[in-house]
Short mmCIF file of all heavy atoms in Angstrom, two decimals:
data_model
loop_
_atom_site.label_atom_id
_atom_site.label_comp_id
_atom_site.label_asym_id
_atom_site.label_seq_id
_atom_site.Cartn_x
_atom_site.Cartn_y
_atom_site.Cartn_z
N GLY B 182 0.33 22.73 -36.93
CA GLY B 182 1.74 22.50 -37.11
C GLY B 182 2.02 21.50 -38.20
O GLY B 182 3.24 21.26 -38.55
N THR B 183 0.99 20.79 -38.82
CA THR B 183 1.31 19.98 -39.92
C THR B 183 1.07 20.74 -41.23
O THR B 183 0.44 21.82 -41.26
CB THR B 183 0.34 18.83 -39.91
OG1 THR B 183 -1.01 19.20 -39.82
CG2 THR B 183 0.58 17.97 -38.62
N THR B 184 1.53 20.15 -42.34
CA THR B 184 1.58 20.92 -43.61
C THR B 184 0.78 20.21 -44.66
O THR B 184 0.89 19.06 -44.87
CB THR B 184 3.04 21.12 -44.11
OG1 THR B 184 3.74 21.61 -42.97
CG2 THR B 184 3.06 22.08 -45.22
N VAL B 185 -0.06 21.00 -45.37
CA VAL B 185 -0.78 20.38 -46.49
C VAL B 185 0.20 20.40 -47.71
O VAL B 185 0.79 21.39 -47.97
CB VAL B 185 -2.08 21.29 -46.81
CG1 VAL B 185 -2.64 20.83 -48.18
CG2 VAL B 185 -3.05 21.15 -45.69
N ILE B 186 0.19 19.18 -48.35
CA ILE B 186 1.09 19.10 -49.56
C ILE B 186 0.35 19.33 -50.89
O ILE B 186 0.84 19.92 -51.71
CB ILE B 186 1.73 17.69 -49.55
CG1 ILE B 186 2.67 17.52 -48.34
CG2 ILE B 186 2.54 17.36 -50.75
CD1 ILE B 186 3.31 16.28 -48.21
N ALA B 187 -0.87 18.81 -50.90
CA ALA B 187 -1.62 18.88 -52.12
C ALA B 187 -3.10 19.19 -51.77
O ALA B 187 -3.51 18.69 -50.77
CB ALA B 187 -1.38 17.70 -53.01
N ASN B 188 -3.79 19.86 -52.72
CA ASN B 188 -5.21 20.12 -52.66
C ASN B 188 -5.51 21.16 -51.55
O ASN B 188 -4.52 21.62 -50.84
CB ASN B 188 -6.05 18.93 -52.31
CG ASN B 188 -5.87 17.90 -53.44
OD1 ASN B 188 -5.02 17.95 -54.27
ND2 ASN B 188 -6.84 16.90 -53.41
N SER B 189 -6.65 21.53 -51.44
CA SER B 189 -7.09 22.59 -50.44
C SER B 189 -8.25 21.92 -49.53
O SER B 189 -9.04 21.07 -50.04
CB SER B 189 -7.67 23.76 -51.12
OG SER B 189 -6.74 24.31 -51.98
N ILE B 190 -8.23 22.47 -48.32
CA ILE B 190 -9.27 21.96 -47.39
C ILE B 190 -9.80 23.16 -46.62
O ILE B 190 -9.17 24.09 -46.47
CB ILE B 190 -8.85 20.85 -46.42
CG1 ILE B 190 -7.46 21.22 -45.92
CG2 ILE B 190 -8.84 19.51 -47.09
CD1 ILE B 190 -6.97 20.24 -44.84
N ILE B 191 -10.97 23.01 -46.15
CA ILE B 191 -11.50 24.03 -45.13
C ILE B 191 -11.57 23.33 -43.79
O ILE B 191 -12.11 22.19 -43.67
CB ILE B 191 -12.98 24.61 -45.55
CG1 ILE B 191 -12.76 25.37 -46.95
CG2 ILE B 191 -13.49 25.43 -44.44
CD1 ILE B 191 -14.10 25.79 -47.52
N VAL B 192 -11.01 24.03 -42.84
CA VAL B 192 -10.89 23.42 -41.56
C VAL B 192 -11.73 24.24 -40.49
O VAL B 192 -11.55 25.48 -40.57
CB VAL B 192 -9.47 23.33 -41.08
CG1 VAL B 192 -9.31 22.86 -39.70
CG2 VAL B 192 -8.60 22.33 -42.03
N ARG B 193 -12.48 23.54 -39.64
CA ARG B 193 -13.11 24.27 -38.53
C ARG B 193 -12.18 24.10 -37.32
O ARG B 193 -11.80 23.02 -37.03
CB ARG B 193 -14.52 23.63 -38.24
CG ARG B 193 -15.20 24.34 -37.15
CD ARG B 193 -16.62 23.83 -37.00
NE ARG B 193 -16.58 22.30 -36.73
CZ ARG B 193 -16.42 21.89 -35.42
NH1 ARG B 193 -16.34 22.68 -34.40
NH2 ARG B 193 -16.42 20.52 -35.23
N ILE B 194 -11.69 25.21 -36.76
CA ILE B 194 -10.80 25.21 -35.57
C ILE B 194 -11.49 24.62 -34.37
O ILE B 194 -12.65 25.04 -34.09
CB ILE B 194 -10.26 26.58 -35.35
CG1 ILE B 194 -9.42 27.09 -36.57
CG2 ILE B 194 -9.46 26.65 -34.11
CD1 ILE B 194 -8.20 26.30 -36.75
N THR B 195 -10.86 23.73 -33.69
CA THR B 195 -11.56 23.06 -32.55
C THR B 195 -10.84 23.43 -31.23
O THR B 195 -11.27 22.88 -30.21
CB THR B 195 -11.66 21.55 -32.78
OG1 THR B 195 -10.35 21.10 -33.04
CG2 THR B 195 -12.55 21.16 -33.79
N ALA B 196 -9.71 24.10 -31.22
CA ALA B 196 -9.02 24.43 -30.02
C ALA B 196 -8.49 25.84 -30.09
O ALA B 196 -8.06 26.35 -31.14
CB ALA B 196 -7.91 23.45 -29.82
N ASN B 197 -8.62 26.59 -29.00
CA ASN B 197 -8.15 27.90 -28.83
C ASN B 197 -6.57 27.76 -28.77
O ASN B 197 -6.06 26.75 -28.36
CB ASN B 197 -8.54 28.60 -27.61
CG ASN B 197 -10.13 28.86 -27.89
OD1 ASN B 197 -10.60 29.21 -28.85
ND2 ASN B 197 -10.84 28.79 -26.68
N PRO B 198 -5.92 28.92 -29.19
CA PRO B 198 -4.48 28.94 -29.01
C PRO B 198 -3.97 28.52 -27.63
O PRO B 198 -4.66 28.98 -26.68
CB PRO B 198 -4.01 30.34 -29.39
CG PRO B 198 -5.23 30.98 -30.10
CD PRO B 198 -6.38 30.17 -29.56
N GLY B 199 -2.90 27.77 -27.50
CA GLY B 199 -2.53 27.35 -26.24
C GLY B 199 -3.18 26.12 -25.62
O GLY B 199 -2.72 25.50 -24.72
N GLU B 200 -4.19 25.67 -26.35
CA GLU B 200 -4.87 24.42 -25.93
C GLU B 200 -4.85 23.47 -27.02
O GLU B 200 -5.48 22.36 -26.89
CB GLU B 200 -6.39 24.71 -25.64
CG GLU B 200 -6.65 25.66 -24.50
CD GLU B 200 -8.02 26.28 -24.51
OE1 GLU B 200 -8.90 25.79 -25.27
OE2 GLU B 200 -8.29 27.17 -23.72
N THR B 201 -4.01 23.67 -28.07
CA THR B 201 -3.96 22.78 -29.17
C THR B 201 -3.23 21.59 -28.75
O THR B 201 -2.49 21.46 -27.78
CB THR B 201 -3.38 23.43 -30.37
OG1 THR B 201 -1.94 23.65 -30.01
CG2 THR B 201 -3.94 24.60 -30.81
N PHE B 202 -3.43 20.47 -29.60
CA PHE B 202 -2.68 19.28 -29.36
C PHE B 202 -1.25 19.40 -29.14
O PHE B 202 -0.61 18.94 -28.21
CB PHE B 202 -3.05 18.29 -30.49
CG PHE B 202 -2.48 16.98 -30.44
CD1 PHE B 202 -2.91 16.21 -29.43
CD2 PHE B 202 -1.50 16.42 -31.28
CE1 PHE B 202 -2.46 14.88 -29.22
CE2 PHE B 202 -1.06 15.24 -31.16
CZ PHE B 202 -1.50 14.39 -30.11
N LEU B 203 -0.67 20.28 -30.10
CA LEU B 203 0.78 20.43 -30.06
C LEU B 203 1.17 21.23 -28.76
O LEU B 203 2.17 20.83 -28.12
CB LEU B 203 1.17 21.33 -31.27
CG LEU B 203 2.70 21.08 -31.73
CD1 LEU B 203 2.88 19.70 -32.20
CD2 LEU B 203 3.03 22.11 -32.87
N ASP B 204 0.37 22.10 -28.35
CA ASP B 204 0.62 22.79 -27.05
C ASP B 204 0.59 21.83 -25.91
O ASP B 204 1.50 21.82 -25.08
CB ASP B 204 -0.43 23.84 -26.81
CG ASP B 204 -0.27 25.10 -27.76
OD1 ASP B 204 0.87 25.46 -27.94
OD2 ASP B 204 -1.26 25.57 -28.35
N ARG B 205 -0.50 21.02 -25.86
CA ARG B 205 -0.56 20.06 -24.87
C ARG B 205 0.59 19.13 -24.84
O ARG B 205 1.11 18.77 -23.78
CB ARG B 205 -1.91 19.29 -25.01
CG ARG B 205 -3.03 20.08 -24.31
CD ARG B 205 -4.27 19.06 -24.06
NE ARG B 205 -4.77 18.64 -25.36
CZ ARG B 205 -5.67 17.69 -25.36
NH1 ARG B 205 -6.05 16.98 -24.40
NH2 ARG B 205 -6.28 17.32 -26.58
N MET B 206 0.93 18.75 -26.02
CA MET B 206 2.10 17.72 -26.15
C MET B 206 3.38 18.34 -25.57
O MET B 206 4.07 17.69 -24.87
CB MET B 206 2.23 17.39 -27.64
CG MET B 206 2.88 16.13 -27.92
SD MET B 206 2.38 15.65 -29.53
CE MET B 206 3.94 15.43 -30.22
N ILE B 207 3.61 19.60 -25.93
CA ILE B 207 4.81 20.28 -25.51
C ILE B 207 4.87 20.37 -24.03
O ILE B 207 5.86 19.94 -23.30
CB ILE B 207 4.99 21.61 -26.10
CG1 ILE B 207 5.33 21.46 -27.61
CG2 ILE B 207 6.09 22.44 -25.55
CD1 ILE B 207 5.27 22.73 -28.55
N SER B 208 3.70 20.74 -23.43
CA SER B 208 3.79 20.95 -21.91
C SER B 208 3.84 19.60 -21.26
O SER B 208 4.46 19.50 -20.18
CB SER B 208 2.58 21.72 -21.51
OG SER B 208 1.38 21.02 -21.65
N LEU B 209 3.25 18.55 -21.89
CA LEU B 209 3.38 17.24 -21.32
C LEU B 209 4.78 16.73 -21.36
O LEU B 209 5.34 16.18 -20.35
CB LEU B 209 2.46 16.24 -22.12
CG LEU B 209 1.02 16.28 -21.58
CD1 LEU B 209 0.21 15.62 -22.72
CD2 LEU B 209 0.79 15.63 -20.28
N ILE B 210 5.41 16.91 -22.50
CA ILE B 210 6.71 16.39 -22.67
C ILE B 210 7.70 17.17 -21.71
O ILE B 210 8.59 16.58 -21.14
CB ILE B 210 7.25 16.47 -24.09
CG1 ILE B 210 6.27 15.63 -25.00
CG2 ILE B 210 8.63 16.13 -24.23
CD1 ILE B 210 6.46 15.86 -26.45
N GLU B 211 7.47 18.45 -21.66
CA GLU B 211 8.35 19.25 -20.76
C GLU B 211 8.13 18.85 -19.29
O GLU B 211 9.02 19.11 -18.44
CB GLU B 211 8.04 20.67 -20.88
CG GLU B 211 8.72 21.35 -22.06
CD GLU B 211 8.45 22.84 -22.08
OE1 GLU B 211 7.34 23.24 -21.69
OE2 GLU B 211 9.36 23.64 -22.43
N GLY B 212 7.07 18.26 -18.93
CA GLY B 212 6.80 17.94 -17.51
C GLY B 212 6.31 19.10 -16.81
O GLY B 212 6.09 19.07 -15.64
N ALA B 213 5.97 20.24 -17.57
CA ALA B 213 5.56 21.39 -16.87
C ALA B 213 4.21 21.19 -16.21
O ALA B 213 4.02 21.66 -15.08
CB ALA B 213 5.51 22.56 -17.89
N LYS B 214 3.30 20.61 -16.87
CA LYS B 214 1.98 20.45 -16.45
C LYS B 214 1.79 19.11 -15.72
O LYS B 214 0.66 18.72 -15.48
CB LYS B 214 1.02 20.56 -17.53
CG LYS B 214 0.65 21.97 -17.86
CD LYS B 214 -0.85 22.08 -18.31
CE LYS B 214 -1.15 23.49 -18.67
NZ LYS B 214 -2.11 23.64 -19.79
N ARG B 215 2.88 18.44 -15.43
CA ARG B 215 2.73 17.04 -14.81
C ARG B 215 2.13 17.22 -13.42
O ARG B 215 2.64 17.86 -12.59
CB ARG B 215 4.16 16.32 -14.74
CG ARG B 215 4.13 14.95 -14.79
CD ARG B 215 5.51 14.44 -14.65
NE ARG B 215 5.96 14.52 -13.34
CZ ARG B 215 5.82 13.72 -12.36
NH1 ARG B 215 5.06 12.59 -12.65
NH2 ARG B 215 6.10 13.81 -11.10
N ARG B 216 1.02 16.57 -13.27
CA ARG B 216 0.43 16.43 -11.92
C ARG B 216 0.83 15.10 -11.36
O ARG B 216 0.86 14.10 -12.01
CB ARG B 216 -1.06 16.67 -12.02
CG ARG B 216 -1.40 18.14 -12.33
CD ARG B 216 -2.83 18.37 -12.58
NE ARG B 216 -3.66 17.75 -11.47
CZ ARG B 216 -4.81 17.19 -11.67
NH1 ARG B 216 -5.36 17.38 -12.90
NH2 ARG B 216 -5.56 16.75 -10.70
N LYS B 217 0.92 15.08 -10.00
CA LYS B 217 1.18 13.87 -9.34
C LYS B 217 0.02 12.89 -9.41
O LYS B 217 -1.13 13.37 -9.25
CB LYS B 217 1.57 14.07 -7.94
CG LYS B 217 2.84 14.80 -7.59
CD LYS B 217 2.99 15.13 -6.11
CE LYS B 217 4.34 15.98 -6.01
NZ LYS B 217 4.38 16.59 -4.72
N THR B 218 0.24 11.68 -9.69
CA THR B 218 -0.88 10.68 -9.79
C THR B 218 -1.33 10.35 -8.38
O THR B 218 -0.56 10.50 -7.37
CB THR B 218 -0.48 9.51 -10.44
OG1 THR B 218 0.63 8.85 -9.78
CG2 THR B 218 -0.02 9.85 -11.84
#
Side-chain angles (χ1 to χ4, degrees):
Chain B
T183 57
T184 311
V185 169
I186 294 178
N188 298 14
S189 302
I190 45 175
I191 294 176
V192 173
R193 183 173 59 84
I194 295 294
T195 53
N197 290 326
E200 296 164 11
T201 64
F202 184 62
L203 206 62
D204 290 317
R205 273 199 290 170
M206 203 157 122
I207 289 170
S208 71
L209 278 165
I210 296 167
E211 277 184 322
K214 275 213 181 149
R215 209 181 73 87
R216 284 175 52 209
K217 289 174 187 166
T218 65

